């Protein structure tokens, strides 16, 4: 039996999807435990691109149960659409490989509207995530159990009335009404009925039977509501603690995998000490195609911040690093890594010689250019945790395994 957890170690968009996908073919269960359709995981399988927002990445694998845990915020309209897209790509989604915890909260059209009119200080994804979690904390939210024999219409009306003043005070109030929003919401929610189950029970029994379980984080450590760069954070726990509260099950995770991008990016507002607003940032953005998978927004880019990453490792107890997008650095003469801050809080950098080579076809660590190995070895040494995987391109095959994640 092995339990794995994969988490973004920075601000999200580290390239978790591919690593989750590689592992999930060996898993009996893959669990999403927090967040909602604000996440976007791009998977490339046999050259075909699929973006998943809510459905766990194990859906691409045969014989894998995919669970949306109680800590998630589920938008039935987007989820129904996503399931349709996945089916069109020839992948099965049914009650035998997909379930949603009855305790997961529903992102309603009211929440999405509130997110839209809330002003742009944080730069949210606009997916209604914050307002949904706010209602959860206020004990006025609606849970998935409501669509299996509950009173969805009554609960939705109460929620609408609670927020009616804010809705009607907005400049675009004429675009929203109970009647306009409820019908589609109810129809889409209805399509999910067969998946609503006691998810904690399933995870627990697979674990007891010795199955392989993977917990798939979304976003990244510094977007955690408690430990992130508050208030510029998302509304859930993106760090390891969220795995327990967001699934309702305690598991001992043998492998706690940090997904670390070889440089740094952030979408939305908030602190980003190594952000590069000059040509370097623009070159990183182009080399890494750094545009949001969910919103299409250009991502802010800069060099890796190892000092900050250390905090992420403290929070999450990582014991394995998957270093992603290393190939994107192949265009630079010099590569920088922040290793400390000066008295005024500005990053202090170490400079590495670039390798100026296309490494996207390299399959063995020892075949990487010496300067590239030096950079990777330094990250490993600084963090005190092995770099087990090095990703050199978006495809599943473009992954160098330094230390296997499983024993055959
Ligand atoms: P929200 O999660 O939509 O409320 O957005 C809150 C903050 O988290 C914003 O800065 C978003 O850009 C950021 N965020 C949310 N989801 C992701 C993600 O999957 N990757 C990167 N940033 C995200």
């Amino acid at each position: 039996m092995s339990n794995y957890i994969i988490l973004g170690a920075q601000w999200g968009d580290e390239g978790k999807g591919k690593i989750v996908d590689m592992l999930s073919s060996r898993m009996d269960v893959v669990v999403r435990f927090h967040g909602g359709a604000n996440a976007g995981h791009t998977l490339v399988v046999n050259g075909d691109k699929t973006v998943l927002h809510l459905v766990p990445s194990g859906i691409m694998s045969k014989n894998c149960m995919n669970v949306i845990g109680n800590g998630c915020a589920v938008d039935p309209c987007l989820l129904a659409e996503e399931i349709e897209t996945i089916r069109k790509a020839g992948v099965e989604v049914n009650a035998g490989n997909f379930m949603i915890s009855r305790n997961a909260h529903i992102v309603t059209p009211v929440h999405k509207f509130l997110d839209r009119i809330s002003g742009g200080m944080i730069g949210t994804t606009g997916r209604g995530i914050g307002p949904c979690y706010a209602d959860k904390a206020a004990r006025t939210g609606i849970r998935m159990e409501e669509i299996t024999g509950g009173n969805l219409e009554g609960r939705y009306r109460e929620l609408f009335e609670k927020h009616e003043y804010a809705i009607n005070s907005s400049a675009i109030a004429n675009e929203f009404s109970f009647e306009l929003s409820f019908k589609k919401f109810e129809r889409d929610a209805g399509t999910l009925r067969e998946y609503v189950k006691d998810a904690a029970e399933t995870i627990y029994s697979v674990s007891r039977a010795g199955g392989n379980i993977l917990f798939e984080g979304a976003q990244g450590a510094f977007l955690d509501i408690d430990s992130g760069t508050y208030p510029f954070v998302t509304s859930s726990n993106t760090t390891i603690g969220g795995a327990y509260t967001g699934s309702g099950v305690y598991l001992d995770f043998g492998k706690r995998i940090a997904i670390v991008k070889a440089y740094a990016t952030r979408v939305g507002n908030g602190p980003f000490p190594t952000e590069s607003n000059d040509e370097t940032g623009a070159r990183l953005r182009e080399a890494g195609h750094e545009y949001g998978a969910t919103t299409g927004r250009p991502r802010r880019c800069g060099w890796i911040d190892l000092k900050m990453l250390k905090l992420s490792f403290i929070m999450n107890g990582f014991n394995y690093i998957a270093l992603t997008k290393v190939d994107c650095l192949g265009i630079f003469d010099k590569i920088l890594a922040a290793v400390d801050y000066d008295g005024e809080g500005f990053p202090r950098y170490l400079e590495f010689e670039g390798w100026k080579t296309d490494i996207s076809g390299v399959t063995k660590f020892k075949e990487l250019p010496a300067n590239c190995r030096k950079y990777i070895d330094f990250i490993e040494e600084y963090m005190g945790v092995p770099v087990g995987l090095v990703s050199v391109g978006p495809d599943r095959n473009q992954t160098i395994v330094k230390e296997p994640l499983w024993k055959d």
Side-chain angles (χ1 to χ4, degrees), residues 11-13 38-40 115 122-127 129-130 219 223 232-235 266-269 297:
W11 279 288
D13 309 313
N38 48 349
D115 208 1
I122 307 289
T124 75
T125 57
R127 295 291 167 99
I129 303 297
Q219 289 95 39
L223 291 174
F232 300 98
V233 292
T234 190
S235 304
R266 174 164 203 168
V267 278
N269 303 327
R297 286 183 286 181

Side-chain angles (χ1 to χ4, degrees), residues 23-40:
L23 256 177
S24 57
S25 56
R26 310 192 143 247
M27 295 296 132
D28 300 297
V29 182
V30 177
V31 184
R32 275 280 311 266
F33 54 89
H34 74 97
N38 48 349

Side-chain angles (χ1 to χ4, degrees), residues 1 203-211:
M1 178 209 58
I203 302 167
Y204 180 69
S205 35
V206 173
S207 158
R208 292 279 294 191

Side-chain angles (χ1 to χ4, degrees), residues 347-397:
R348 261 209 272 266
Y349 291 102
L350 262 195
E351 196 175 275
F352 294 82
E353 287 300 320
W355 47 92
K356 300 292 292 249
T357 324
D358 177 7
I359 57 166
S360 62
V362 177
T363 54
K364 294 198 178 66
F365 187 72
K366 62 178 192 308
E367 287 167 10
L368 284 171
N371 286 346
C372 181
R373 277 186 278 130
K374 258 188 217 158
Y375 181 67
I376 296 170
D377 288 345
F378 181 79
I379 292 174
E380 187 168 278
E381 192 187 310
Y382 187 101
M383 303 316 298
V385 172
V387 172
L389 286 182
V390 179
S391 174
V392 293
D395 205 87
R396 236 198 267 195
N397 312 325

Side-chain angles (χ1 to χ4, degrees), residues 6 36 171 318 348 354 393:
I6 289 187
F318 292 129
R348 261 209 272 266

